[in-house]
Amino acid sequence: MEKKITKLIELIIDEKSSKFGVEAISLVEFPAIEENWVFFSKDNFLSLAKLDEDKKTLVGAVLIPDKHIPRHDQETGEDYNVYFTADTIKQAQELFMSNLRNNNATYEHQLPIQGISVVESWVKEDKEFDKSNAYGFKEMPIGTWFVQMKVNNDEVWEKVKNGEVKGFSIEGYFVDKVE
């Protein structure tokens, strides 16, 4: 039996709140946005985001505008979807970088990890000429937030190569706007 989604919630940033925006980017096995990074090994192209073995870098989407992300409320047992608009994504990306959070990384939203840095961050602005196309993300919509991460942590790099982590997920503080 398929779960019935009864509520759609837009997540927004309230800069008047004591905590707001994206605090960290987590390396996860199952990204909520359902997009993995591309993995290039020395011999073959494996899939949807880019991993450069020699440089130990990852490139992938962090947030996709208007993408419905399934959630479950443990207290009420209710299933619902959340999403971010392109404007909120742009605001989150700018705040993340301007607040120097590019070294804040976790593993599966649990353990803070050292040796991981966002070295590049951008929001897709052009369907045809955006650099995300070169990484295999041609179908991602305008407004998608991408990052390139440098991994100077051998334990984490092994997890990446072994497929134990496949994408990015954000950690942050947002306000619900129920529709």
Side-chain angles (χ1 to χ4, degrees), residues 122-166:
W122 75 96
V123 174
K124 185 171 187 168
E125 295 178 349
D126 186 280
K127 191 79 172 155
E128 187 178 350
F129 297 108
D130 191 82
K131 76 183 319 179
S132 62
N133 295 340
Y135 293 116
F137 296 106
K138 291 180 179 163
E139 300 307 314
M140 290 297 196
I142 301 293
T144 300
W145 177 12
F146 291 93
V147 297
Q148 178 177 12
M149 289 186 112
K150 175 76 172 166
V151 181
N152 287 318
N153 179 317
D154 292 338
E155 185 179 332
V156 171
W157 192 248
E158 280 305 309
K159 290 180 185 304
V160 169
K161 291 192 331 184
N162 293 336
E164 294 173 52
V165 290
K166 298 178 181 134

Side-chain angles (χ1 to χ4, degrees), residues 75-138:
E75 291 179 21
T76 66
E78 182 181 26
D79 292 310
Y80 60 98
N81 284 326
V82 299
Y83 74 97
F84 297 88
T85 65
D87 288 340
T88 298
I89 290 171
K90 180 73 173 157
Q91 182 185 18
Q93 184 264 350
E94 288 173 354
L95 287 168
F96 180 80
M97 295 306 289
S98 65
N99 289 316
L100 304 176
R101 295 182 177 142
N102 61 306
N103 290 318
N104 296 357
T106 63
Y107 175 69
E108 291 290 352
H109 294 291
Q110 296 172 8
L111 304 171
I113 46 179
Q114 301 300 310
I116 312 258
S117 296
V118 172
V119 295
E120 191 171 1
S121 173
W122 75 96
V123 174
K124 185 171 187 168
E125 295 178 349
D126 186 280
K127 191 79 172 155
E128 187 178 350
F129 297 108
D130 191 82
K131 76 183 319 179
S132 62
N133 295 340
Y135 293 116
F137 296 106
K138 291 180 179 163

